[in-house]
mmCIF file of all heavy atoms in Angstrom:
data_model
loop_
_atom_site.group_PDB
_atom_site.id
_atom_site.type_symbol
_atom_site.label_atom_id
_atom_site.label_comp_id
_atom_site.label_asym_id
_atom_site.label_seq_id
_atom_site.Cartn_x
_atom_site.Cartn_y
_atom_site.Cartn_z
ATOM 1 N N LEU A 219 51.948 145.631 106.181
ATOM 2 C CA LEU A 219 51.722 145.406 104.763
ATOM 3 C C LEU A 219 52.254 144.065 104.270
ATOM 4 O O LEU A 219 52.047 143.712 103.109
ATOM 5 C CB LEU A 219 52.381 146.527 103.939
ATOM 6 C CG LEU A 219 51.829 147.940 104.166
ATOM 7 C CD1 LEU A 219 52.608 148.950 103.340
ATOM 8 C CD2 LEU A 219 50.351 147.994 103.818
ATOM 9 N N THR A 220 52.898 143.312 105.150
ATOM 10 C CA THR A 220 53.459 142.027 104.738
ATOM 11 C C THR A 220 52.389 141.082 104.203
ATOM 12 O O THR A 220 52.601 140.368 103.223
ATOM 13 C CB THR A 220 54.191 141.358 105.914
ATOM 14 O OG1 THR A 220 55.263 142.205 106.333
ATOM 15 C CG2 THR A 220 54.759 140.008 105.504
ATOM 16 N N ALA A 221 51.225 141.122 104.824
ATOM 17 C CA ALA A 221 50.151 140.213 104.409
ATOM 18 C C ALA A 221 49.670 140.487 102.989
ATOM 19 O O ALA A 221 49.104 139.613 102.338
ATOM 20 C CB ALA A 221 48.978 140.315 105.372
ATOM 21 N N ILE A 222 49.898 141.716 102.502
ATOM 22 C CA ILE A 222 49.494 142.013 101.128
ATOM 23 C C ILE A 222 50.733 142.232 100.250
ATOM 24 O O ILE A 222 50.739 143.049 99.348
ATOM 25 C CB ILE A 222 48.550 143.229 101.065
ATOM 26 C CG1 ILE A 222 49.180 144.452 101.749
ATOM 27 C CG2 ILE A 222 47.210 142.914 101.672
ATOM 28 C CD1 ILE A 222 48.341 145.715 101.589
ATOM 29 N N GLN A 223 51.787 141.526 100.587
ATOM 30 C CA GLN A 223 53.013 141.488 99.785
ATOM 31 C C GLN A 223 53.750 142.811 99.731
ATOM 32 O O GLN A 223 54.552 143.025 98.832
ATOM 33 C CB GLN A 223 52.683 141.029 98.353
ATOM 34 C CG GLN A 223 52.051 139.649 98.265
ATOM 35 C CD GLN A 223 52.976 138.558 98.771
ATOM 36 O OE1 GLN A 223 54.158 138.550 98.438
ATOM 37 N NE2 GLN A 223 52.464 137.650 99.554
ATOM 38 N N ARG A 224 53.513 143.688 100.713
ATOM 39 C CA ARG A 224 54.225 144.958 100.773
ATOM 40 C C ARG A 224 54.250 145.649 99.412
ATOM 41 O O ARG A 224 55.131 145.426 98.591
ATOM 42 C CB ARG A 224 55.666 144.768 101.271
ATOM 43 C CG ARG A 224 55.770 144.204 102.658
ATOM 44 C CD ARG A 224 57.194 144.340 103.167
ATOM 45 N NE ARG A 224 58.182 143.858 102.213
ATOM 46 C CZ ARG A 224 58.571 142.600 102.122
ATOM 47 N NH1 ARG A 224 58.016 141.701 102.916
ATOM 48 N NH2 ARG A 224 59.492 142.239 101.269
ATOM 49 N N ILE A 225 53.316 146.517 99.165
ATOM 50 C CA ILE A 225 53.191 147.175 97.875
ATOM 51 C C ILE A 225 54.476 147.950 97.584
ATOM 52 O O ILE A 225 54.742 148.979 98.189
ATOM 53 C CB ILE A 225 51.979 148.135 97.884
ATOM 54 C CG1 ILE A 225 50.721 147.380 98.313
ATOM 55 C CG2 ILE A 225 51.791 148.773 96.522
ATOM 56 C CD1 ILE A 225 49.550 148.270 98.589
ATOM 57 N N GLN A 226 55.270 147.434 96.654
ATOM 58 C CA GLN A 226 56.577 148.027 96.385
ATOM 59 C C GLN A 226 56.456 149.178 95.398
ATOM 60 O O GLN A 226 55.678 149.136 94.453
ATOM 61 C CB GLN A 226 57.530 146.973 95.807
ATOM 62 C CG GLN A 226 58.988 147.418 95.739
ATOM 63 C CD GLN A 226 59.545 147.714 97.123
ATOM 64 O OE1 GLN A 226 59.271 147.008 98.096
ATOM 65 N NE2 GLN A 226 60.335 148.776 97.226
ATOM 66 N N LEU A 227 57.225 150.224 95.639
ATOM 67 C CA LEU A 227 57.179 151.401 94.787
ATOM 68 C C LEU A 227 57.803 151.118 93.431
ATOM 69 O O LEU A 227 58.885 150.557 93.352
ATOM 70 C CB LEU A 227 57.948 152.538 95.459
ATOM 71 C CG LEU A 227 57.844 153.916 94.820
ATOM 72 C CD1 LEU A 227 56.487 154.511 95.124
ATOM 73 C CD2 LEU A 227 58.935 154.815 95.337
ATOM 74 N N PRO A 228 57.163 151.515 92.342
ATOM 75 C CA PRO A 228 57.775 151.355 91.023
ATOM 76 C C PRO A 228 59.071 152.147 90.917
ATOM 77 O O PRO A 228 59.229 153.194 91.542
ATOM 78 C CB PRO A 228 56.721 151.921 90.065
ATOM 79 C CG PRO A 228 55.438 151.830 90.819
ATOM 80 C CD PRO A 228 55.797 152.029 92.265
ATOM 81 N N ALA A 229 60.003 151.670 90.110
ATOM 82 C CA ALA A 229 61.324 152.288 90.002
ATOM 83 C C ALA A 229 61.274 153.695 89.428
ATOM 84 O O ALA A 229 62.194 154.471 89.607
ATOM 85 C CB ALA A 229 62.224 151.410 89.128
ATOM 86 N N LYS A 230 60.181 154.045 88.726
ATOM 87 C CA LYS A 230 60.112 155.345 88.082
ATOM 88 C C LYS A 230 59.847 156.471 89.072
ATOM 89 O O LYS A 230 59.914 157.644 88.705
ATOM 90 C CB LYS A 230 59.022 155.351 87.022
ATOM 91 C CG LYS A 230 57.610 155.132 87.556
ATOM 92 C CD LYS A 230 56.593 155.070 86.436
ATOM 93 C CE LYS A 230 55.188 154.809 86.955
ATOM 94 N NZ LYS A 230 54.652 155.920 87.741
ATOM 95 N N LYS A 231 59.544 156.165 90.309
ATOM 96 C CA LYS A 231 59.212 157.197 91.274
ATOM 97 C C LYS A 231 60.417 158.073 91.600
ATOM 98 O O LYS A 231 61.566 157.665 91.498
ATOM 99 C CB LYS A 231 58.693 156.558 92.575
ATOM 100 C CG LYS A 231 57.350 155.851 92.419
ATOM 101 C CD LYS A 231 56.225 156.843 92.173
ATOM 102 C CE LYS A 231 54.863 156.143 92.185
ATOM 103 N NZ LYS A 231 53.770 157.076 92.037
ATOM 104 N N ALA A 232 60.127 159.294 92.049
ATOM 105 C CA ALA A 232 61.182 160.268 92.318
ATOM 106 C C ALA A 232 62.077 159.869 93.475
ATOM 107 O O ALA A 232 63.222 160.306 93.552
ATOM 108 C CB ALA A 232 60.555 161.629 92.611
ATOM 109 N N VAL A 233 61.575 159.060 94.389
ATOM 110 C CA VAL A 233 62.352 158.695 95.558
ATOM 111 C C VAL A 233 63.071 157.369 95.355
ATOM 112 O O VAL A 233 63.440 156.705 96.317
ATOM 113 C CB VAL A 233 61.470 158.646 96.824
ATOM 114 C CG1 VAL A 233 61.161 160.044 97.303
ATOM 115 C CG2 VAL A 233 60.183 157.892 96.566
ATOM 116 N N ALA A 234 63.269 156.969 94.113
ATOM 117 C CA ALA A 234 64.017 155.751 93.836
ATOM 118 C C ALA A 234 65.396 155.856 94.462
ATOM 119 O O ALA A 234 66.034 156.898 94.430
ATOM 120 C CB ALA A 234 64.128 155.538 92.325
ATOM 121 N N GLY A 235 65.872 154.767 95.021
ATOM 122 C CA GLY A 235 67.143 154.768 95.731
ATOM 123 C C GLY A 235 66.951 154.702 97.229
ATOM 124 O O GLY A 235 67.862 154.347 97.963
ATOM 125 N N PHE A 236 65.756 155.054 97.704
ATOM 126 C CA PHE A 236 65.423 154.940 99.112
ATOM 127 C C PHE A 236 64.506 153.738 99.320
ATOM 128 O O PHE A 236 63.879 153.255 98.379
ATOM 129 C CB PHE A 236 64.717 156.213 99.611
ATOM 130 C CG PHE A 236 65.576 157.435 99.596
ATOM 131 C CD1 PHE A 236 65.608 158.277 98.492
ATOM 132 C CD2 PHE A 236 66.380 157.742 100.682
ATOM 133 C CE1 PHE A 236 66.409 159.402 98.477
ATOM 134 C CE2 PHE A 236 67.193 158.867 100.678
ATOM 135 C CZ PHE A 236 67.205 159.696 99.567
ATOM 136 N N ARG A 237 64.448 153.275 100.539
ATOM 137 C CA ARG A 237 63.533 152.186 100.869
ATOM 138 C C ARG A 237 62.131 152.772 100.946
ATOM 139 O O ARG A 237 61.836 153.615 101.784
ATOM 140 C CB ARG A 237 63.928 151.545 102.192
ATOM 141 C CG ARG A 237 65.307 150.905 102.167
ATOM 142 C CD ARG A 237 65.640 150.292 103.504
ATOM 143 N NE ARG A 237 64.714 149.224 103.860
ATOM 144 C CZ ARG A 237 64.678 148.645 105.048
ATOM 145 N NH1 ARG A 237 65.495 149.053 106.015
ATOM 146 N NH2 ARG A 237 63.809 147.673 105.294
ATOM 147 N N VAL A 238 61.257 152.332 100.055
ATOM 148 C CA VAL A 238 59.949 152.965 99.892
ATOM 149 C C VAL A 238 58.840 151.926 99.845
ATOM 150 O O VAL A 238 58.988 150.859 99.251
ATOM 151 C CB VAL A 238 59.918 153.807 98.596
ATOM 152 C CG1 VAL A 238 58.587 154.539 98.462
ATOM 153 C CG2 VAL A 238 61.066 154.784 98.575
ATOM 154 N N LEU A 239 57.711 152.262 100.477
ATOM 155 C CA LEU A 239 56.475 151.502 100.382
ATOM 156 C C LEU A 239 55.373 152.448 99.941
ATOM 157 O O LEU A 239 55.378 153.628 100.304
ATOM 158 C CB LEU A 239 56.098 150.877 101.732
ATOM 159 C CG LEU A 239 57.059 149.848 102.318
ATOM 160 C CD1 LEU A 239 56.666 149.546 103.764
ATOM 161 C CD2 LEU A 239 57.050 148.578 101.495
ATOM 162 N N SER A 240 54.434 151.958 99.164
ATOM 163 C CA SER A 240 53.312 152.774 98.724
ATOM 164 C C SER A 240 52.048 152.280 99.416
ATOM 165 O O SER A 240 51.735 151.088 99.378
ATOM 166 C CB SER A 240 53.156 152.687 97.200
ATOM 167 O OG SER A 240 52.149 153.550 96.752
#
Side-chain angles (χ1 to χ4, degrees):
L219 297 177
T220 299
I222 55 174
Q223 300 297 315
R224 299 192 311 274
I225 306 170
Q226 191 62 40
L227 189 75
K230 63 183 178 67
K231 293 291 187 176
V233 284
F236 294 92
R237 298 180 62 189
V238 183
L239 297 169
S240 185

